[in-house]
Amino acid sequence: MSIHQPQRHLHSLHAMLLALGMIMSTDALKTAPTIVASIGHWHFLGLWMAGAAISIVGGLSYVEMAAAFPDAGGEYSFIRRAWGERVGTLYAWSRFAIMHTGWVALMAHLAADYIGAPLGLGAGGRLVLSVGLVAAMTGLNLAHVRLGFLTQALLVLAVALGFISVILAGIVVPAAPVMPEAPRPHMGGIAVALIYIFLAYGGWSDAATLSAEVRSGRRGMFIAVIGSIGLLGVVYVALNWALMRGLGEGALAHSVAPAADLARMAFGWPGQALVVTVVGISAVASINSTIIVCARTTYAAARDHPGLGALAHWHPTRGAPTRAALAVGGVSLVLTLLSALTGSGFNAMVDYMTPVYWLFIGMGMAAAIRLRIMHPDLPRPVKTPLFPLFPAVFIALAAYMLYASFLQLGLGAVFGAGVLALGAGLDFLLRRRARAYAK
């Protein structure tokens, strides 16, 4: 096992840009039609503001744990401390084999679809593009950690500029007619809207993996996580205001690509091309940050597991867990290839990841409560307000989403659960082998 450990080399602003890249995604450009179809314009922007506020409270629970237990494993280390070594290992496996690597594959397919469409690429060409993208971003993170971080910061700024262009388009075009006030939507519609809003804000839990590398640890983590969610909340509210103003409720609800439609209305085909470019940049930024996060989670788990010592290596000069990053890239490539066989790699990865994501986000929030009980005297400069109400709300939301995912998604959800069970079996075998060698 390597003796080299993560170093605190990230300034607060740099860490916030990294965290912003973990959260910000072009998912927000896809969620607006579903939300409008569920609730109309009833408190449309208010629910986006509420989503940001509640996400900040959820982020505070993770900042509290990150400040108290700084570790490169982030959420993995919290779950392991709260629920034990076996559950922690299963969490790390879920990130390595399902969640993070699945997200890399999903974003690679998204980028390939958007870029390949105007170029006239067929299924084979798009597959080559998606595989090449995963390989390139894996190589970037193997090259040098600071290069990966710098690239991430630049990509986040580029995506932000793209979002700003959509907001400007909403200002430039004439306002669409306002539809008559609709009756209050039923609770099912409100619930669906909130689910999609929380998906757009998702990713803040991954920022805890930076806790061992951020300077001015406690203050730095607060700025990184809470600052990124707050900034993103402002961007998302402005973005959805622009979409509603420019397209109107009816057109927005039926649009497949609302941002591209709005940009075309305001700026013609160059505006539409800009949105496609932003989607591609966002995908690259998301893949890069996900590899950064997953490699660190894998490194932390391997450091703690008796049968995975080969992956517990932190390269002293590159400043990165290079072996773990290489393994993450390899699994991501496999998932990219396998999901392409279904005919819709993007949808296949959504089905594959969703149940596992909600299972562990619920366990992470429960860990915040359990760690308070286990370590009541530990100093906590950042505390979750109204504790334990908000962690409990997140636990309830996670339970509902886990239940709904098996009802509404296809065989991919079952396959993801099966891969999680496979991880439990592998853990058992590796531990038994390690005990046999010890004897």
Side-chain angles (χ1 to χ4, degrees):
M1 180 181 296
S2 172
I3 62 173
H4 300 285
Q5 302 292 327
Q7 302 297 314
R8 294 191 177 276
H9 60 93
L10 290 175
H11 293 285
S12 298
L13 180 59
H14 205 170
M16 188 178 76
L17 287 173
L18 258 181
L20 192 60
M22 296 173 184
I23 306 170
M24 183 168 61
S25 173
T26 46
D27 285 354
L29 301 180
K30 291 186 173 184
T31 55
T34 303
I35 295 169
V36 171
S38 300
I39 62 170
H41 58 273
W42 181 85
H43 293 305
F44 177 65
L45 297 181
L47 288 180
W48 277 100
M49 295 177 189
I54 297 174
S55 295
I56 286 174
V57 174
L60 282 171
S61 295
Y62 275 64
V63 171
E64 175 183 312
M65 292 188 287
F69 309 101
D71 192 278
E75 191 178 23
Y76 156 76
S77 66
F78 310 150
I79 288 178
R80 185 176 183 273
R81 285 177 181 271
W83 307 115
E85 186 176 354
R86 295 291 181 90
V87 177
T89 300
L90 192 61
Y91 169 89
W93 168 261
S94 76
R95 265 48 190 168
F96 176 74
I98 303 169
M99 282 303 308
H100 286 153
T101 48
W103 182 259
V104 169
L106 179 146
M107 295 306 293
H109 284 302
L110 176 63
D113 288 344
Y114 268 83
I115 297 171
L119 297 178
L121 296 180
R126 295 182 188 187
L127 177 59
V128 170
L129 184 59
S130 61
V131 168
L133 182 58
V134 173
M137 299 314 295
T138 301
L140 177 67
N141 279 277
L142 288 173
H144 201 290
V145 66
R146 295 187 187 277
L147 180 61
F149 285 153
L150 176 60
T151 302
Q152 183 64 22
L154 294 175
L155 290 174
V156 167
L157 291 175
V159 173
L161 289 175
F163 282 171
I164 290 172
S165 69
V166 176
I167 296 170
L168 290 176
I171 298 173
V172 170
V173 300
V178 178
M179 298 183 67
E181 186 66 28
R184 179 188 177 98
H186 57 81
M187 286 304 300
I190 297 173
V192 170
L194 287 175
I195 287 169
Y196 277 88
I197 287 171
F198 283 126
L199 284 176
Y201 283 110
W204 45 261
S205 61
D206 289 334
T209 57
L210 303 175
S211 60
E213 300 174 68
V214 178
R215 295 180 182 178
S216 61
R218 292 166 180 162
R219 176 176 174 271
M221 282 304 300
F222 181 86
I223 293 173
V225 178
I226 307 306
S228 60
I229 298 174
L231 181 59
L232 190 60
V234 173
V235 173
Y236 279 173
V237 169
L239 181 68
N240 283 276
W241 170 84
L243 293 173
M244 180 65 83
R245 180 185 185 276
L247 296 177
E249 180 180 333
L252 179 57
H254 293 91
S255 176
V256 176
D261 293 342
L262 179 59
R264 185 178 64 250
M265 290 170 56
F267 309 120
W269 70 264
Q272 186 179 26
L274 175 63
V275 170
V276 172
T277 302
V278 168
V279 170
I281 293 174
S282 176
V284 171
S286 185
I287 289 172
N288 189 56
S289 65
T290 303
I291 292 175
I292 290 172
V293 169
C294 190
R296 281 151 179 75
T297 302
T298 302
Y299 156 81
R303 179 193 59 196
D304 299 331
H305 198 287
L308 299 174
L311 292 177
H313 173 78
W314 194 277
H315 200 285
T317 58
R318 295 180 180 178
T322 50
R323 295 178 186 173
L326 184 61
V328 168
V331 173
S332 299
L333 286 171
V334 170
L335 290 177
T336 303
L337 290 168
L338 291 178
S339 56
L341 298 177
T342 67
S344 178
F346 183 92
N347 291 335
M349 286 295 95
V350 170
D351 295 349
Y352 180 64
M353 294 185 298
T354 298
V356 176
Y357 170 78
W358 286 108
L359 171 65
F360 282 106
I361 200 69
M363 295 189 71
M365 283 296 168
I369 299 174
R370 183 169 174 80
L371 289 174
R372 279 273 194 114
I373 298 172
M374 293 172 64
H375 305 278
D377 299 326
L378 191 70
R380 288 177 170 85
V382 180
K383 290 188 176 181
T384 306
L386 299 179
F387 188 90
L389 175 62
F390 282 101
V393 170
F394 269 90
I395 292 169
L397 174 65
Y400 169 76
M401 287 299 298
L402 176 62
Y403 168 75
S405 64
F406 283 110
L407 291 180
Q408 299 179 9
L409 301 180
L411 290 177
V414 178
F415 186 63
V419 172
L420 185 66
L422 175 64
L426 290 174
D427 176 44
F428 173 78
L429 293 176
L430 286 172
R431 290 181 187 279
R432 188 171 69 173
R433 188 179 69 171
R435 287 195 296 269
Y437 285 158
K439 294 178 180 179

mmCIF file of all heavy atoms in Angstrom, residues 44-83:
data_model
loop_
_atom_site.group_PDB
_atom_site.id
_atom_site.type_symbol
_atom_site.label_atom_id
_atom_site.label_comp_id
_atom_site.label_asym_id
_atom_site.label_seq_id
_atom_site.Cartn_x
_atom_site.Cartn_y
_atom_site.Cartn_z
ATOM 1 N N PHE A 44 -43.679 27.954 -10.655
ATOM 2 C CA PHE A 44 -42.616 27.285 -11.425
ATOM 3 C C PHE A 44 -41.230 27.693 -10.919
ATOM 4 O O PHE A 44 -40.400 26.848 -10.585
ATOM 5 C CB PHE A 44 -42.786 27.625 -12.909
ATOM 6 C CG PHE A 44 -41.720 27.072 -13.813
ATOM 7 C CD1 PHE A 44 -41.567 25.715 -13.975
ATOM 8 C CD2 PHE A 44 -40.867 27.931 -14.505
ATOM 9 C CE1 PHE A 44 -40.588 25.197 -14.812
ATOM 10 C CE2 PHE A 44 -39.892 27.427 -15.344
ATOM 11 C CZ PHE A 44 -39.746 26.062 -15.496
ATOM 12 N N LEU A 45 -40.986 29.002 -10.846
ATOM 13 C CA LEU A 45 -39.685 29.467 -10.371
ATOM 14 C C LEU A 45 -39.541 29.289 -8.861
ATOM 15 O O LEU A 45 -38.439 29.052 -8.366
ATOM 16 C CB LEU A 45 -39.486 30.935 -10.748
ATOM 17 C CG LEU A 45 -39.443 31.237 -12.250
ATOM 18 C CD1 LEU A 45 -39.207 32.718 -12.487
ATOM 19 C CD2 LEU A 45 -38.362 30.410 -12.936
ATOM 20 N N GLY A 46 -40.641 29.377 -8.139
ATOM 21 C CA GLY A 46 -40.588 29.189 -6.692
ATOM 22 C C GLY A 46 -40.101 27.801 -6.305
ATOM 23 O O GLY A 46 -39.341 27.644 -5.341
ATOM 24 N N LEU A 47 -40.517 26.805 -7.066
ATOM 25 C CA LEU A 47 -40.069 25.443 -6.771
ATOM 26 C C LEU A 47 -38.582 25.268 -7.075
ATOM 27 O O LEU A 47 -37.882 24.520 -6.385
ATOM 28 C CB LEU A 47 -40.896 24.432 -7.563
ATOM 29 C CG LEU A 47 -42.347 24.247 -7.099
ATOM 30 C CD1 LEU A 47 -43.063 23.229 -7.969
ATOM 31 C CD2 LEU A 47 -42.407 23.826 -5.639
ATOM 32 N N TRP A 48 -38.082 25.957 -8.104
ATOM 33 C CA TRP A 48 -36.647 25.922 -8.383
ATOM 34 C C TRP A 48 -35.865 26.571 -7.248
ATOM 35 O O TRP A 48 -34.794 26.089 -6.860
ATOM 36 C CB TRP A 48 -36.333 26.623 -9.703
ATOM 37 C CG TRP A 48 -36.547 25.739 -10.900
ATOM 38 C CD1 TRP A 48 -37.627 25.719 -11.734
ATOM 39 C CD2 TRP A 48 -35.646 24.740 -11.385
ATOM 40 N NE1 TRP A 48 -37.468 24.770 -12.711
ATOM 41 C CE2 TRP A 48 -36.251 24.153 -12.531
ATOM 42 C CE3 TRP A 48 -34.392 24.291 -10.985
ATOM 43 C CZ2 TRP A 48 -35.640 23.138 -13.254
ATOM 44 C CZ3 TRP A 48 -33.779 23.273 -11.712
ATOM 45 C CH2 TRP A 48 -34.407 22.713 -12.830
ATOM 46 N N MET A 49 -36.394 27.674 -6.711
ATOM 47 C CA MET A 49 -35.741 28.311 -5.562
ATOM 48 C C MET A 49 -35.777 27.388 -4.349
ATOM 49 O O MET A 49 -34.786 27.265 -3.618
ATOM 50 C CB MET A 49 -36.438 29.634 -5.242
ATOM 51 C CG MET A 49 -36.319 30.686 -6.318
ATOM 52 S SD MET A 49 -37.248 32.181 -5.863
ATOM 53 C CE MET A 49 -37.171 33.109 -7.409
ATOM 54 N N ALA A 50 -36.915 26.734 -4.131
ATOM 55 C CA ALA A 50 -37.030 25.815 -3.005
ATOM 56 C C ALA A 50 -36.063 24.645 -3.154
ATOM 57 O O ALA A 50 -35.453 24.193 -2.179
ATOM 58 C CB ALA A 50 -38.466 25.301 -2.899
ATOM 59 N N GLY A 51 -35.899 24.151 -4.395
ATOM 60 C CA GLY A 51 -34.959 23.062 -4.631
ATOM 61 C C GLY A 51 -33.539 23.445 -4.258
ATOM 62 O O GLY A 51 -32.800 22.651 -3.662
ATOM 63 N N ALA A 52 -33.155 24.680 -4.600
ATOM 64 C CA ALA A 52 -31.813 25.147 -4.243
ATOM 65 C C ALA A 52 -31.662 25.254 -2.730
ATOM 66 O O ALA A 52 -30.646 24.837 -2.161
ATOM 67 C CB ALA A 52 -31.540 26.497 -4.897
ATOM 68 N N ALA A 53 -32.683 25.814 -2.072
ATOM 69 C CA ALA A 53 -32.607 25.994 -0.620
ATOM 70 C C ALA A 53 -32.507 24.659 0.102
ATOM 71 O O ALA A 53 -31.689 24.482 1.021
ATOM 72 C CB ALA A 53 -33.825 26.770 -0.134
ATOM 73 N N ILE A 54 -33.332 23.692 -0.303
ATOM 74 C CA ILE A 54 -33.305 22.376 0.352
ATOM 75 C C ILE A 54 -32.000 21.644 0.042
ATOM 76 O O ILE A 54 -31.441 20.946 0.894
ATOM 77 C CB ILE A 54 -34.529 21.551 -0.072
ATOM 78 C CG1 ILE A 54 -35.812 22.235 0.401
ATOM 79 C CG2 ILE A 54 -34.456 20.135 0.493
ATOM 80 C CD1 ILE A 54 -37.086 21.590 -0.083
ATOM 81 N N SER A 55 -31.483 21.815 -1.173
ATOM 82 C CA SER A 55 -30.202 21.203 -1.520
ATOM 83 C C SER A 55 -29.074 21.791 -0.678
ATOM 84 O O SER A 55 -28.138 21.080 -0.293
ATOM 85 C CB SER A 55 -29.907 21.400 -3.007
ATOM 86 O OG SER A 55 -30.843 20.712 -3.806
ATOM 87 N N ILE A 56 -29.161 23.080 -0.388
ATOM 88 C CA ILE A 56 -28.161 23.697 0.483
ATOM 89 C C ILE A 56 -28.206 23.081 1.871
ATOM 90 O O ILE A 56 -27.174 22.780 2.479
ATOM 91 C CB ILE A 56 -28.383 25.222 0.547
ATOM 92 C CG1 ILE A 56 -27.919 25.874 -0.761
ATOM 93 C CG2 ILE A 56 -27.644 25.836 1.734
ATOM 94 C CD1 ILE A 56 -28.218 27.349 -0.856
ATOM 95 N N VAL A 57 -29.420 22.851 2.382
ATOM 96 C CA VAL A 57 -29.547 22.224 3.696
ATOM 97 C C VAL A 57 -28.981 20.808 3.662
ATOM 98 O O VAL A 57 -28.284 20.364 4.583
ATOM 99 C CB VAL A 57 -31.010 22.226 4.153
ATOM 100 C CG1 VAL A 57 -31.177 21.437 5.444
ATOM 101 C CG2 VAL A 57 -31.491 23.662 4.356
ATOM 102 N N GLY A 58 -29.284 20.066 2.592
ATOM 103 C CA GLY A 58 -28.685 18.740 2.455
ATOM 104 C C GLY A 58 -27.177 18.815 2.358
ATOM 105 O O GLY A 58 -26.454 18.009 2.957
ATOM 106 N N GLY A 59 -26.689 19.801 1.607
ATOM 107 C CA GLY A 59 -25.246 19.987 1.503
ATOM 108 C C GLY A 59 -24.607 20.307 2.834
ATOM 109 O O GLY A 59 -23.480 19.884 3.118
ATOM 110 N N LEU A 60 -25.328 21.036 3.698
ATOM 111 C CA LEU A 60 -24.796 21.347 5.024
ATOM 112 C C LEU A 60 -24.553 20.082 5.839
ATOM 113 O O LEU A 60 -23.598 20.013 6.625
ATOM 114 C CB LEU A 60 -25.752 22.278 5.760
ATOM 115 C CG LEU A 60 -25.709 23.758 5.346
ATOM 116 C CD1 LEU A 60 -26.858 24.520 5.990
ATOM 117 C CD2 LEU A 60 -24.373 24.381 5.719
ATOM 118 N N SER A 61 -25.423 19.081 5.682
ATOM 119 C CA SER A 61 -25.207 17.818 6.390
ATOM 120 C C SER A 61 -23.893 17.184 5.957
ATOM 121 O O SER A 61 -23.147 16.631 6.785
ATOM 122 C CB SER A 61 -26.368 16.854 6.115
ATOM 123 O OG SER A 61 -27.577 17.340 6.646
ATOM 124 N N TYR A 62 -23.593 17.282 4.661
ATOM 125 C CA TYR A 62 -22.358 16.693 4.161
ATOM 126 C C TYR A 62 -21.148 17.547 4.511
ATOM 127 O O TYR A 62 -20.053 17.024 4.766
ATOM 128 C CB TYR A 62 -22.467 16.463 2.648
ATOM 129 C CG TYR A 62 -23.128 15.150 2.322
ATOM 130 C CD1 TYR A 62 -24.461 14.918 2.669
ATOM 131 C CD2 TYR A 62 -22.431 14.133 1.684
ATOM 132 C CE1 TYR A 62 -25.067 13.706 2.392
ATOM 133 C CE2 TYR A 62 -23.032 12.918 1.405
ATOM 134 C CZ TYR A 62 -24.348 12.709 1.764
ATOM 135 O OH TYR A 62 -24.942 11.509 1.496
ATOM 136 N N VAL A 63 -21.309 18.871 4.524
ATOM 137 C CA VAL A 63 -20.212 19.736 4.960
ATOM 138 C C VAL A 63 -19.893 19.466 6.425
ATOM 139 O O VAL A 63 -18.726 19.425 6.830
ATOM 140 C CB VAL A 63 -20.575 21.221 4.747
ATOM 141 C CG1 VAL A 63 -19.538 22.130 5.406
ATOM 142 C CG2 VAL A 63 -20.656 21.537 3.264
ATOM 143 N N GLU A 64 -20.941 19.288 7.231
ATOM 144 C CA GLU A 64 -20.736 18.959 8.651
ATOM 145 C C GLU A 64 -19.899 17.701 8.792
ATOM 146 O O GLU A 64 -18.935 17.653 9.569
ATOM 147 C CB GLU A 64 -22.088 18.782 9.337
ATOM 148 C CG GLU A 64 -21.985 18.316 10.780
ATOM 149 C CD GLU A 64 -23.346 18.079 11.412
ATOM 150 O OE1 GLU A 64 -24.221 18.954 11.275
ATOM 151 O OE2 GLU A 64 -23.528 17.016 12.040
ATOM 152 N N MET A 65 -20.252 16.651 8.034
ATOM 153 C CA MET A 65 -19.505 15.399 8.128
ATOM 154 C C MET A 65 -18.107 15.540 7.541
ATOM 155 O O MET A 65 -17.139 14.979 8.060
ATOM 156 C CB MET A 65 -20.281 14.279 7.437
ATOM 157 C CG MET A 65 -21.564 13.882 8.152
ATOM 158 S SD MET A 65 -22.372 12.412 7.461
ATOM 159 C CE MET A 65 -23.042 13.070 5.914
ATOM 160 N N ALA A 66 -17.975 16.306 6.435
ATOM 161 C CA ALA A 66 -16.671 16.475 5.801
ATOM 162 C C ALA A 66 -15.716 17.249 6.701
ATOM 163 O O ALA A 66 -14.514 16.954 6.750
ATOM 164 C CB ALA A 66 -16.841 17.191 4.463
ATOM 165 N N ALA A 67 -16.238 18.263 7.418
ATOM 166 C CA ALA A 67 -15.387 19.030 8.323
ATOM 167 C C ALA A 67 -14.974 18.194 9.529
ATOM 168 O O ALA A 67 -13.855 18.329 10.034
ATOM 169 C CB ALA A 67 -16.115 20.292 8.776
ATOM 170 N N ALA A 68 -15.852 17.331 9.985
ATOM 171 C CA ALA A 68 -15.550 16.502 11.144
ATOM 172 C C ALA A 68 -14.673 15.303 10.788
ATOM 173 O O ALA A 68 -13.826 14.883 11.586
ATOM 174 C CB ALA A 68 -16.847 16.021 11.794
ATOM 175 N N PHE A 69 -14.872 14.753 9.584
ATOM 176 C CA PHE A 69 -14.146 13.545 9.163
ATOM 177 C C PHE A 69 -13.568 13.750 7.765
ATOM 178 O O PHE A 69 -14.011 13.107 6.809
ATOM 179 C CB PHE A 69 -15.077 12.332 9.168
ATOM 180 C CG PHE A 69 -15.851 12.152 10.443
ATOM 181 C CD1 PHE A 69 -17.181 12.538 10.526
ATOM 182 C CD2 PHE A 69 -15.259 11.594 11.564
ATOM 183 C CE1 PHE A 69 -17.908 12.366 11.685
ATOM 184 C CE2 PHE A 69 -15.973 11.413 12.735
ATOM 185 C CZ PHE A 69 -17.300 11.810 12.802
ATOM 186 N N PRO A 70 -12.584 14.644 7.579
ATOM 187 C CA PRO A 70 -12.039 14.875 6.237
ATOM 188 C C PRO A 70 -11.361 13.624 5.694
ATOM 189 O O PRO A 70 -10.557 12.988 6.368
ATOM 190 C CB PRO A 70 -11.026 16.009 6.461
ATOM 191 C CG PRO A 70 -10.669 15.936 7.906
ATOM 192 C CD PRO A 70 -11.905 15.462 8.607
ATOM 193 N N ASP A 71 -11.717 13.261 4.482
ATOM 194 C CA ASP A 71 -11.183 12.038 3.887
ATOM 195 C C ASP A 71 -11.414 12.103 2.382
ATOM 196 O O ASP A 71 -12.435 12.624 1.921
ATOM 197 C CB ASP A 71 -11.875 10.801 4.473
ATOM 198 C CG ASP A 71 -11.169 9.514 4.105
ATOM 199 O OD1 ASP A 71 -11.389 9.009 2.999
ATOM 200 O OD2 ASP A 71 -10.377 9.020 4.930
ATOM 201 N N ALA A 72 -10.460 11.563 1.608
ATOM 202 C CA ALA A 72 -10.591 11.560 0.151
ATOM 203 C C ALA A 72 -11.766 10.708 -0.314
ATOM 204 O O ALA A 72 -12.229 10.858 -1.448
ATOM 205 C CB ALA A 72 -9.298 11.045 -0.502
ATOM 206 N N GLY A 73 -12.270 9.831 0.553
ATOM 207 C CA GLY A 73 -13.396 8.985 0.173
ATOM 208 C C GLY A 73 -14.735 9.679 0.247
ATOM 209 O O GLY A 73 -15.727 9.176 -0.277
ATOM 210 N N GLY A 74 -14.811 10.862 0.900
ATOM 211 C CA GLY A 74 -16.052 11.618 0.959
ATOM 212 C C GLY A 74 -17.205 10.823 1.543
ATOM 213 O O GLY A 74 -17.140 10.336 2.676
ATOM 214 N N GLU A 75 -18.282 10.693 0.774
ATOM 215 C CA GLU A 75 -19.484 10.016 1.228
ATOM 216 C C GLU A 75 -19.194 8.576 1.644
ATOM 217 O O GLU A 75 -19.816 8.063 2.586
ATOM 218 C CB GLU A 75 -20.540 10.055 0.127
ATOM 219 C CG GLU A 75 -21.923 9.623 0.558
ATOM 220 C CD GLU A 75 -22.932 9.738 -0.572
ATOM 221 O OE1 GLU A 75 -22.528 9.716 -1.758
ATOM 222 O OE2 GLU A 75 -24.138 9.849 -0.271
ATOM 223 N N TYR A 76 -18.257 7.941 0.968
ATOM 224 C CA TYR A 76 -17.863 6.580 1.340
ATOM 225 C C TYR A 76 -17.391 6.526 2.794
ATOM 226 O O TYR A 76 -17.781 5.632 3.560
ATOM 227 C CB TYR A 76 -16.750 6.078 0.420
ATOM 228 C CG TYR A 76 -15.903 4.986 1.026
ATOM 229 C CD1 TYR A 76 -16.380 3.684 1.127
ATOM 230 C CD2 TYR A 76 -14.630 5.269 1.530
ATOM 231 C CE1 TYR A 76 -15.607 2.685 1.700
ATOM 232 C CE2 TYR A 76 -13.852 4.272 2.107
ATOM 233 C CZ TYR A 76 -14.347 2.987 2.193
ATOM 234 O OH TYR A 76 -13.586 2.006 2.763
ATOM 235 N N SER A 77 -16.562 7.478 3.190
ATOM 236 C CA SER A 77 -16.029 7.451 4.549
ATOM 237 C C SER A 77 -17.121 7.683 5.585
ATOM 238 O O SER A 77 -17.094 7.097 6.672
ATOM 239 C CB SER A 77 -14.915 8.495 4.708
ATOM 240 O OG SER A 77 -15.427 9.809 4.582
ATOM 241 N N PHE A 78 -18.123 8.539 5.256
ATOM 242 C CA PHE A 78 -19.226 8.769 6.187
ATOM 243 C C PHE A 78 -20.033 7.487 6.383
ATOM 244 O O PHE A 78 -20.369 7.106 7.514
ATOM 245 C CB PHE A 78 -20.160 9.873 5.678
ATOM 246 C CG PHE A 78 -19.473 11.139 5.258
ATOM 247 C CD1 PHE A 78 -20.011 11.944 4.269
ATOM 248 C CD2 PHE A 78 -18.279 11.535 5.849
ATOM 249 C CE1 PHE A 78 -19.385 13.106 3.882
ATOM 250 C CE2 PHE A 78 -17.638 12.708 5.467
ATOM 251 C CZ PHE A 78 -18.198 13.485 4.478
ATOM 252 N N ILE A 79 -20.381 6.853 5.276
ATOM 253 C CA ILE A 79 -21.193 5.634 5.342
ATOM 254 C C ILE A 79 -20.438 4.519 6.053
ATOM 255 O O ILE A 79 -21.013 3.770 6.858
ATOM 256 C CB ILE A 79 -21.627 5.223 3.919
ATOM 257 C CG1 ILE A 79 -22.690 6.206 3.405
ATOM 258 C CG2 ILE A 79 -22.146 3.793 3.898
ATOM 259 C CD1 ILE A 79 -23.161 5.931 2.007
ATOM 260 N N ARG A 80 -19.157 4.425 5.805
ATOM 261 C CA ARG A 80 -18.360 3.387 6.454
ATOM 262 C C ARG A 80 -18.284 3.617 7.960
ATOM 263 O O ARG A 80 -18.398 2.666 8.754
ATOM 264 C CB ARG A 80 -16.953 3.360 5.853
ATOM 265 C CG ARG A 80 -16.067 2.231 6.376
ATOM 266 C CD ARG A 80 -14.736 2.229 5.638
ATOM 267 N NE ARG A 80 -13.901 1.111 6.071
ATOM 268 C CZ ARG A 80 -13.068 1.156 7.118
ATOM 269 N NH1 ARG A 80 -12.979 2.262 7.831
ATOM 270 N NH2 ARG A 80 -12.339 0.107 7.434
ATOM 271 N N ARG A 81 -18.081 4.857 8.372
ATOM 272 C CA ARG A 81 -18.033 5.162 9.800
ATOM 273 C C ARG A 81 -19.372 4.877 10.487
ATOM 274 O O ARG A 81 -19.424 4.396 11.610
ATOM 275 C CB ARG A 81 -17.656 6.629 10.015
ATOM 276 C CG ARG A 81 -16.201 6.963 9.784
ATOM 277 C CD ARG A 81 -15.953 8.453 9.957
ATOM 278 N NE ARG A 81 -14.581 8.794 9.707
ATOM 279 C CZ ARG A 81 -13.605 8.801 10.620
ATOM 280 N NH1 ARG A 81 -13.905 8.463 11.876
ATOM 281 N NH2 ARG A 81 -12.379 9.128 10.305
ATOM 282 N N ALA A 82 -20.448 5.231 9.787
ATOM 283 C CA ALA A 82 -21.772 5.109 10.400
ATOM 284 C C ALA A 82 -22.300 3.689 10.369
ATOM 285 O O ALA A 82 -22.914 3.226 11.348
ATOM 286 C CB ALA A 82 -22.745 6.042 9.695
ATOM 287 N N TRP A 83 -22.093 2.969 9.266
ATOM 288 C CA TRP A 83 -22.772 1.685 9.074
ATOM 289 C C TRP A 83 -21.841 0.481 9.006
ATOM 290 O O TRP A 83 -22.296 -0.649 8.863
ATOM 291 C CB TRP A 83 -23.627 1.733 7.804
ATOM 292 C CG TRP A 83 -24.560 2.895 7.792
ATOM 293 C CD1 TRP A 83 -24.544 3.957 6.941
ATOM 294 C CD2 TRP A 83 -25.649 3.131 8.692
ATOM 295 N NE1 TRP A 83 -25.552 4.846 7.246
ATOM 296 C CE2 TRP A 83 -26.252 4.357 8.321
ATOM 297 C CE3 TRP A 83 -26.182 2.432 9.772
ATOM 298 C CZ2 TRP A 83 -27.339 4.898 8.992
ATOM 299 C CZ3 TRP A 83 -27.260 2.963 10.453
ATOM 300 C CH2 TRP A 83 -27.838 4.174 10.059
#
